[in-house]
Amino acid sequence: METPVSSAALAVPAAAPRRAWGADLPVLAVAVVWGGSYLAAKGITTAHTVIAVLVLRFGVVLPVLAGAGWRRLRALSARQLRGGALLGLVLGAIFILETYGVVHTSATNAGLIISLTMIFTPLAEAAVRRTRPSAAFLGAAAVSVAGVVLLTQGGGFTVPGAGDLLILGAALARTLNVLLTARIEAVQDADSLSLTTVQLGGALAVFAVLAALPGTGENPWSVAAGFGPAEWAGLAFLAVFCTLFAFFVQMWAVRRSSPSRVSLLLGTEPLWAAAAGIAIGGEHLGPAGLAGAALVLAGTAWGRRATGPS
């Protein structure tokens, strides 16, 4: 999960090489755990427990964040709270789409398809500003889309699976989240920790409401009671490493390195998702899938260069 950083943090110049490498390693660790998050979510979630698992995951994280930044959280204005809550609704949609999606597709596909956010966001930005993307970027987008088409064709050219389409929807929702974060004036000067806490709280509220409705799967308490050591370990990994650790490392690293360098390192997430799915999850990609994965990675890397520094 990507979290916003303050404009003050983004203004910090790049650090000296040795110091930058000291910040690079924790950021790379975030990319690794994010890559592993798809396999971890797949391992502890079924179609009937998606909402319950999300309630548990966010329920573990939110009190820690709220406690760490309580004074700054109380200083938020009503407009900032409303802006953060709106972003929380979008964040909730992202996690619902991602989690349902990974239940119905492979962790490898999920990690690679979600990387299309890096292509969708500049395209959406260009549409909003009514500007034409560069020919290089359009070429990168075409390569990435071709890669996804190949990636999702396991045994021949068929309609992409429901899980692949849900992950594609999550990538579009991530794009919406980025655009709203950049354009909701009320949140521009908000403290990053406080804004993220409000967003997570808004998402948790969505999950809690859904969990209380009939037909949305098992309730969080029965799911928690049925967890064994492996499931609790998976939940701890998602909550502690993929959320808390990831957020604090981003906040720490962007003040010691450059935003572009942090973005580049986090952009390796699809590589780690594919590595975890294949090496640990026993997933397999045929020749078309391997070609598709290569095209997705090449297209997103080309697209990042074509749009300039993040």
Side-chain angles (χ1 to χ4, degrees), residues 83-179:
L86 175 60
L87 293 176
L89 297 179
V90 178
L91 186 65
I94 293 170
F95 273 93
I96 290 171
L97 289 168
E98 280 188 0
T99 311
Y100 273 115
V102 81
V103 168
H104 296 290
T105 190
S106 68
T108 303
N109 277 23
L112 290 166
I113 293 172
I114 201 69
S115 70
L116 288 179
T117 302
M118 289 181 281
I119 296 295
F120 292 158
T121 302
L123 286 175
E125 189 75 27
V128 169
R129 294 182 176 181
R130 297 183 179 180
T131 58
R132 181 181 176 83
S134 68
F137 182 80
L138 290 175
V143 168
S144 297
V145 171
V148 169
V149 171
L150 288 174
L151 182 68
T152 57
Q153 306 307 310
F157 286 92
T158 60
V159 176
D164 298 321
L165 295 176
L166 287 168
I167 296 296
L168 190 62
L172 291 170
R174 280 193 182 194
T175 298
L176 176 61
N177 189 57
V178 172
L179 294 179

Side-chain angles (χ1 to χ4, degrees), residues 20-87:
W21 273 109
D24 286 349
L25 292 178
V27 174
L28 189 60
V30 170
V32 172
V33 298
W34 275 355
S37 68
Y38 301 99
L39 189 61
K42 191 174 182 68
I44 67 170
T45 313
T46 69
H48 299 291
T49 63
V50 167
I51 301 300
V53 169
L54 288 173
V55 169
L56 294 172
R57 175 179 175 178
F58 278 58
V60 169
V61 170
L62 191 60
V64 177
L65 287 178
W70 180 244
R71 290 186 179 180
R72 286 173 290 180
L73 187 61
R74 292 181 61 187
L76 291 178
S77 68
R79 291 180 67 247
Q80 289 172 329
L81 287 171
R82 287 194 297 269
L86 175 60
L87 293 176

Side-chain angles (χ1 to χ4, degrees), residues 149-228:
V149 171
L150 288 174
L151 182 68
T152 57
Q153 306 307 310
F157 286 92
T158 60
V159 176
D164 298 321
L165 295 176
L166 287 168
I167 296 296
L168 190 62
L172 291 170
R174 280 193 182 194
T175 298
L176 176 61
N177 189 57
V178 172
L179 294 179
L180 287 176
T181 301
R183 282 168 173 72
I184 297 178
E185 293 183 5
V187 305
Q188 298 306 310
D189 297 323
D191 172 70
S192 297
L193 175 60
S194 301
L195 180 61
T196 301
T197 303
V198 173
Q199 289 184 63
L200 294 182
L204 179 57
V206 171
F207 306 146
V209 169
L210 290 176
L213 296 177
T216 55
E218 298 182 42
N219 69 70
W221 320 121
S222 63
V223 170
F227 272 1

